[in-house]
Amino acid sequence: MKPRTYMMQGNVAVAEGAIDAGCRFFAGYPITPSSEIGETLSKRLPEIGGKFIQMEDEISAMGAVIGASLGGVKSLTATSGPGFSLKQENIGYASITEVPVVIVNVMRGGPSTGLPTLPSQSDVMQARWGTHGDHPIIVLTPATVRETYDMTIQAFNMSEKYRVPVILLMDEIIGHVYEKVTLPNIDELTIINRKKPTCSAQEYLPYIADETLIPPMANFGEGYRYHVTGLVHDETGFPTNKTDQIEVMLNRLNSKLDKYSDEIIQYEDTFTEDAKIGIVTYGSSARSSKNAMRKAREQGIPVGMIRIQTLWPFPTERIYEFGRQVSHIIVPELNLGQIAHEVEHAVKGAAEVVPVNKINGDPIHPEEVLLKIKECI
Amino acid sequence: MDYLQYLRLDKFPHIWCAGCGDGIALKAILRAVHNIGWEKDNIAMVSGIGCSSRTPGYVDFNTLHTTHGRAIPFATGLKMARPEMNVIVVSGDGDATAIGGNHLIHAARRNIDLTVLIYNNHIYGMTGGQVSPETPMGDFATTAPYGAMENNFDISGLTIAAGASFVARCTVYHANLLGKLIEKALSKKGFSLVEVMSPCPTAYGKINKKGTGNEMILNQKQLAVRVERAKTMSPEELKNKIIIGTIIDRELPEYVNTYEKIISQAQRR
Amino acid sequence: MSEKASIEINEKWCKGCEICVDVCPRDVFEMRNFVAKVKDIDKCTGCMLCEQLCPDFAIIVHAPEKKKKSVSV
Ligand SMILES: Cc1ncc(C[n+]2csc(CCOP(=O)(O)OP(=O)(O)O)c2C)c(N)n1
Ligand code: SF4
Ligand code: SF4
Ligand code: SF4
């Protein structure tokens, strides 16, 4: 097989990753800086028997991907801030009905129309808590084009395996940067598909789970006729108002990911072994932070960095350990401290948390992080 | 025919009030499905939120009770994923023309092969009788204490202008005709819509002194005029009448079908 | 099949809306304790109107074939 080496943009890497993960349906609504994802898939999907639709808005795009996924087709939608806000109600629907879907949010500065063409990381909390009610969600965030490809596949795998919406949270820099990437051969990839019921249609209870906590999922049209509702339901899938049933359902829903936190939570350690000063960051801010860390190391300052790849569930345990190792944790991010708060919470006072925040549309520069590092000595 | 074979019997009696038209409409749907002879496995019923949108819970199909106003988008995704599936959308007037109005016209514009049944009861039933885009001017609602002051949508005109293949209207009183119109709608390749005039005695009838459910339903007999006869009547004569029958039935390219052709084109390249 | 129509009323599902009483052209039904009852089955023509219009799936009409004529109201 010939090597798949390309100059590729992050947004295109999402499209290619989705295709390789088995995604055959995309519904979206154009919005900068995410539009290239839909544009690429509008061309690519029909070539491989898939379908693309440009819906009338992001609300309907979110609805359409849930509908298609219930039909048994892996589905993707992509958007940015204002569109992400519109999708929230139906993201909650996917969460409570446990329908696998992947949502890409290429962040722009907000609030409102905000900064359409400039980088930001200000939707971190919205990605976790944007829809109402307690709910499970997974949020992954890449820092390179290659990682964007890999994470898109992971996003589909996780979504299929745990029956949960997975959000790929990118920033404008990662979405638009071109990098040379060599993609793996298809047969080297691990692709996970939803677990289907093995029982008969008569025996099938759509929301009863074994010790895996993840109920097998029948696709519509395959002989298992069942009911799907956004109302709190019991194991049969029908609405319930009985507190004991509500409790069983919502407890399983909200704890199902805990069981798998080891496989879900990913982060990358760089020079953390001997670090006395720490950096915790993610996405494009990790790129400049890495550069700053190198410069600091050249000057003999023992800095180490944890780059978060899974924002939610948050790698609390690892950050806690790190906090006990270092004096300071610097948290560079393109918002007013959304993850810094989480780091603070995780380290429980063991280290001083030093936010580096920027919301003016300018990315974080290495010098800015370096300056903070020096202040921490 | 035996309706019970299509029902989830353990969910009965249903939640609808005494004299609510929604159960009559459901029967008409089941007669249509039965006459066409579709397998239950190949039918999906999708709804939004409202009294009418509770319909899918009662039928033994693949059923999807979505978010308020969004049944059509979910149905669109499902239909594209499984073109062989027969997808029926049940919606209220608020669900379909207020919060979901944009989806309604866009689905009609695409002419995607869905059948949308809008149960028009002139009110928000489930939430206790607030004004809807279909509350007649001057009628009362809990949020129209001085009478409704907005114009209504002409649902059929709207969807015809948007590009639907088939549009009909019927009252629940004319249940036999209703079943036949739904059958035509279901059989149509393309976007089809039946506006079902379904009385809500509880949230609309009472506040507007329209009587009980049975009275409201009997009244439909007086109000209904067949499409054919309506053509010979003046606008004054037609005031407050309900025109029933097939309003449009035409052949237009269907969206999913067009898409499948695009796929074979793209794959040949 | 018997020559006479017969009617089953599911009293558990009947909500007493009286639609059947009002729409039956032959005055077959009456209300008793807010539930529909068959008053006079002999008059029934098997037109199915009551079955089609009972919103609660509470009426099943068993009409002999030759009696069953589809109404079109
Ligand atoms: C986003 C959202 N807004 C509001 C509601 C509350 N709500 C539930 S049903 C409904 C209106 C239902 O009216 P209609 O669609 O006409 O259906 P009906 O109950 O009359 O059959 C509203 C406003 C909701 N569930 N979701
Ligand atoms: S409130 Fe109105 S629409 Fe809802 S069930 Fe009662 S009668 Fe029907
Ligand atoms: S129409 Fe049905 S629900 Fe109403 S009174 Fe008659 S049997 Fe009962
Ligand atoms: S079938 Fe016709 S005649 Fe017989 S009870 Fe019903 S409505 Fe009356």
Side-chain angles (χ1 to χ4, degrees):
Chain A
M1 216 171 165
K2 67 173 194 270
R4 301 199 294 156
T5 303
Y6 312 94
M7 273 303 285
M8 192 181 271
Q9 189 193 43
N11 282 344
V12 175
V14 170
E16 293 303 325
I19 287 172
D20 291 351
C23 169
R24 292 296 177 269
F25 183 73
F26 177 95
Y29 189 82
I31 186 165
T32 306
S34 74
S35 298
E36 295 85 357
I37 300 172
E39 286 168 352
T40 307
L41 287 169
S42 69
K43 178 159 188 303
R44 293 280 282 118
L45 280 173
E47 292 172 355
I48 52 171
K51 294 193 183 98
F52 161 95
I53 186 169
Q54 181 170 316
M55 294 296 288
E56 50 273 18
D57 56 29
E58 289 86 349
I59 302 173
S60 51
M62 193 61 222
V65 292
I66 299 171
S69 181
L70 269 166
V73 176
K74 289 188 192 179
S75 301
L76 176 74
T77 184
T79 189
S80 180
F84 194 52
S85 293
L86 288 181
K87 286 182 194 293
Q88 293 301 333
E89 185 189 9
N90 284 341
I91 292 176
Y93 186 91
S95 202
I96 195 173
T97 56
E98 303 181 68
V99 175
V101 279
V102 177
I103 303 115
V104 181
N105 175 9
V106 187
M107 291 178 281
R108 56 158 73 186
S112 189
T113 313
L115 299 165
T117 57
L118 297 176
S120 164
Q121 296 177 308
S122 52
D123 301 346
V124 167
M125 281 296 163
Q126 188 190 19
R128 178 64 193 89
W129 296 115
T131 196
H132 59 283
D134 291 310
H135 62 278
I137 201 114
I138 295 176
V139 181
L140 306 177
T141 192
T144 65
V145 173
R146 172 60 201 260
E147 190 176 44
T148 302
Y149 169 88
D150 292 337
M151 259 187 196
T152 305
I153 297 174
Q154 272 178 5
F156 274 100
N157 283 349
M158 288 182 181
S159 147
E160 290 283 317
K161 178 166 181 189
Y162 311 120
R163 294 190 60 180
V164 66
V166 178
I167 294 165
L168 190 69
L169 199 60
M170 296 163 60
D171 54 65
E172 187 274 342
I173 297 177
I174 308 302
H176 281 162
V177 70
Y178 276 86
E179 287 175 343
K180 190 174 171 184
V181 290
T182 301
L183 303 183
N185 287 325
I186 304 290
D187 48 17
E188 291 164 15
L189 299 172
T190 304
I191 301 297
I192 299 176
N193 296 316
R194 62 192 68 169
K195 188 170 70 186
K196 290 204 184 175
T198 49
C199 64
S200 70
Q202 286 69 36
E203 290 165 328
Y204 182 57
L205 293 176
Y207 292 99
I208 192 161
D210 56 13
E211 67 288 347
T212 64
L213 300 186
I214 317 293
M217 179 173 168
N219 299 326
F220 272 21
E222 293 180 354
Y224 294 82
R225 297 186 301 274
Y226 66 105
H227 189 57
V228 178
T229 176
L231 288 163
V232 173
H233 39 267
D234 61 17
E235 294 167 339
T236 65
F238 285 91
T240 178
N241 273 329
K242 298 198 179 89
T243 47
D244 53 334
Q245 289 175 346
I246 297 170
E247 210 163 287
V248 168
M249 159 67 184
L250 290 183
N251 283 347
R252 179 183 62 74
L253 190 73
N254 284 297
S255 65
K256 67 177 179 179
L257 297 182
D258 298 348
K259 199 177 163 77
Y260 302 96
S261 51
D262 286 350
E263 11 178 308
I264 297 171
I265 297 177
Q266 302 168 62
Y267 45 83
E268 179 192 76
D269 277 72
T270 317
F271 299 138
T272 48
E273 270 163 40
D274 62 344
K276 300 272 191 299
I277 294 172
I279 300 174
V280 169
T281 185
Y282 51 96
S284 68
S285 297
R287 296 166 75 115
S288 25
S289 299
K290 202 167 192 170
N291 190 313
M293 176 174 64
R294 287 232 170 77
K295 288 191 172 128
R297 285 252 162 198
E298 280 164 18
Q299 296 171 30
I301 311 169
V303 184
M305 176 169 120
I306 295 177
R307 180 172 69 85
I308 300 175
Q309 293 160 302
T310 308
L311 278 169
W312 306 109
F314 191 75
T316 308
E317 278 177 34
R318 176 67 190 107
I319 302 299
Y320 171 70
E321 280 168 26
F322 197 39
R324 287 164 51 107
Q325 176 190 334
V326 297
S327 62
H328 296 76
I329 294 185
I330 300 165
V331 188
E333 53 185 333
L334 294 172
N335 58 47
L336 291 180
Q338 299 187 16
I339 282 298
H341 282 298
E342 203 62 28
V343 172
E344 191 105 48
H345 173 75
V347 300
K348 297 191 168 77
E352 194 179 327
V353 177
V354 185
V356 180
N357 304 132
K358 240 171 143 176
I359 55 165
N360 64 357
D362 187 38
I364 288 171
H365 297 284
E367 302 72 44
E368 293 163 333
V369 181
L370 190 60
L371 204 70
K372 277 283 183 244
I373 294 173
K374 287 184 176 164
E375 284 174 16
C376 293
I377 305 173
Chain B
M1 73 164 270
D2 170 22
Y3 296 98
L4 304 189
Q5 62 182 309
Y6 294 104
L7 298 178
R8 290 169 169 149
L9 296 173
D10 57 326
K11 305 297 169 212
F12 281 75
H14 56 54
I15 58 155
W16 297 311
C17 308
C20 173
D22 292 4
I24 305 175
L26 173 55
K27 276 188 165 166
I29 299 174
L30 297 180
R31 283 196 301 281
V33 163
H34 187 73
N35 285 347
I36 299 173
W38 283 342
E39 293 288 326
K40 293 195 270 187
D41 281 338
N42 280 333
I43 305 172
M45 190 183 272
V46 186
S47 69
I49 300 290
C51 295
S52 40
S53 289
R54 286 302 186 98
T55 307
Y58 299 111
V59 292
D60 186 19
F61 304 146
N62 301 277
T63 55
L64 183 56
H65 178 229
T66 72
T67 48
H68 191 30
R70 318 302 174 195
I72 291 176
F74 281 73
T76 298
L78 179 59
K79 182 70 188 179
M80 289 179 79
R82 287 207 172 250
E84 75 284 4
M85 207 156 199
N86 302 298
V87 183
I88 308 170
V89 174
V90 176
S91 191
D93 47 308
D95 198 63
T97 72
I99 191 166
N102 202 30
H103 311 310
L104 176 70
I105 55 176
H106 282 278
R109 176 182 64 80
R110 290 185 189 105
N111 201 33
I112 183 165
D113 186 23
L114 304 174
T115 296
V116 176
L117 306 171
I118 300 179
Y119 294 7
N120 185 353
N121 57 12
H122 308 300
I123 205 87
Y124 285 10
M126 176 139 273
T127 41
Q130 295 80 10
V131 72
S132 129
E134 296 302 312
T135 307
M137 193 88 88
D139 278 5
F140 296 103
T142 57
T143 49
Y146 305 104
M149 33 192 154
E150 298 176 14
N151 288 316
N152 300 149
F153 270 133
D154 168 3
I155 295 175
S156 55
L158 190 66
T159 42
I160 290 169
S165 276
F166 179 90
V167 177
R169 187 188 300 109
C170 199
T171 57
V172 292
Y173 175 77
H174 300 84
N176 198 47
L177 176 64
L178 178 61
K180 290 190 171 136
L181 291 172
I182 294 175
E183 191 177 330
K184 273 192 179 173
L186 295 177
S187 311
K188 191 78 192 177
K189 268 271 162 237
F191 186 87
S192 55
L193 177 129
V194 182
E195 180 182 0
V196 183
M197 309 310 289
S198 176
C200 165
T202 308
Y204 173 76
K206 203 164 169 203
I207 192 171
N208 287 296
K209 305 196 167 49
K210 302 271 183 191
T212 50
N214 51 328
E215 289 166 342
M216 289 174 82
I217 285 173
L218 278 190
N219 195 36
Q220 291 188 327
K221 190 178 175 181
Q222 264 66 56
L223 297 179
V225 177
R226 298 282 181 144
V227 169
E228 299 75 22
R229 203 162 80 78
K231 284 186 185 130
T232 68
M233 292 166 67
S234 69
E236 292 76 53
E237 289 173 312
L238 284 172
K239 201 158 181 277
N240 296 328
K241 295 286 185 199
I242 304 170
I243 301 174
I244 60 171
T246 303
I247 301 168
I248 204 157
D249 185 356
R250 55 188 173 181
E251 300 307 318
L252 295 168
E254 191 276 325
Y255 176 71
V256 180
N257 200 18
T258 306
Y259 208 111
E260 306 260 310
K261 284 185 196 146
I262 296 289
I263 290 178
S264 19
Q265 240 178 55
Q267 288 183 326
R268 268 201 305 274
R269 277 206 308 208
Chain C
M1 195 177 271
S2 76
E3 287 300 297
K4 266 172 47 180
S6 70
I7 289 175
E8 272 177 67
I9 296 178
N10 182 343
E11 297 192 0
K12 288 206 182 83
W13 290 4
C14 168
K15 292 193 185 124
C17 69
E18 303 189 20
I19 289 175
C20 53
V21 177
D22 286 355
V23 299
C24 173
R26 306 298 298 264
D27 201 18
V28 170
F29 298 98
E30 64 178 351
M31 298 306 292
R32 245 182 274 152
N33 292 325
F34 308 105
V35 172
K37 303 269 183 195
V38 175
K39 182 171 65 181
D40 188 353
I41 188 65
D42 291 339
K43 290 196 209 155
C44 175
T45 60
C47 71
M48 311 302 283
L49 198 51
C50 56
E51 185 183 289
Q52 288 187 359
L53 279 161
C54 168
D56 288 273
F57 295 80
I59 299 179
I60 299 175
V61 178
H62 302 281
E65 280 312 309
K66 63 174 184 191
K67 257 196 162 181
K68 198 189 258 174
K69 55 170 195 222
S70 176
V71 278
S72 196
V73 287

